[in-house]
Amino acid sequence: MRLICGLFLSLWAAGAVVAQEQISPDEFLRRAGHNTLTFSTFPGEEPVGVEQFLPRQRTVWARSDGRCTYGQITLEGPYVCFRYEDDSHQTHCWVPYVFEDRLFVRAENGAVQQVSRITQEPVQCSDALLSSG
């Protein structure tokens, strides 16, 4: 029973985010611009990584293991898309949302991440960046 209740609450929480206000990719970048965002799973709040938004549609992405790479941002319809230099064959696209004044993103496969922290501190990398592009 506990498992069923937990599953129901998880699905309900994820559904609540999907039902909230979708914002444009431009609005997401306005909020993220020149800031460092910490992403975590939703529900569950497991760390995913930290992304520092740089000028000219660039980011530095620090995965939860501390490895960093540069990313390129593109806007494709309702999606904010990221292509990372250490994984250039893959594009990661997200639809941004606002729920209770917090930012969320939803992938095409339905995975949801929340922005759990916004600062102006640079990302901390455990290794040298892959490239400076």
Side-chain angles (χ1 to χ4, degrees):
M1 182 68 172
R2 179 183 275 171
L3 177 64
I4 292 171
C5 288
L7 180 60
F8 173 76
L9 287 174
S10 294
L11 291 173
W12 176 82
V17 171
V18 172
Q20 296 307 309
E21 180 187 352
Q22 181 177 335
I23 61 173
S24 71
D26 286 321
E27 175 63 15
F28 176 83
L29 291 179
R30 186 191 67 73
R31 293 176 184 222
H34 303 286
N35 289 314
T36 299
L37 281 57
T38 300
F39 290 88
S40 59
T41 60
F42 184 84
E45 299 190 28
E46 294 296 321
V48 176
V50 179
E51 193 145 22
Q52 182 179 357
F53 287 76
L54 306 171
R56 296 187 185 178
Q57 308 294 357
R58 304 251 317 144
T59 68
V60 176
W61 172 246
R63 290 174 174 75
S64 60
D65 66 4
R67 292 181 309 125
C68 291
T69 187
Y70 282 99
Q72 183 69 38
I73 302 170
T74 58
L75 307 181
E76 300 177 19
Y79 295 99
V80 177
C81 298
F82 301 84
R83 183 177 299 255
Y84 299 101
E85 290 182 356
D86 68 344
D87 187 21
S88 62
H89 66 280
Q90 177 80 25
T91 300
H92 306 272
C93 294
W94 303 88
V95 173
Y97 288 87
V98 174
F99 176 65
E100 296 180 355
D101 293 325
R102 293 186 309 165
L103 288 175
F104 289 82
V105 292
R106 182 176 41 87
E108 293 175 293
N109 69 3
V112 175
Q113 293 181 10
Q114 64 181 328
V115 176
S116 53
R117 186 170 179 223
I118 299 175
T119 70
Q120 293 186 338
E121 301 167 13
V123 296
Q124 300 296 311
C125 300
S126 65
D127 59 354
L129 286 169
L130 175 70
S131 168
S132 63

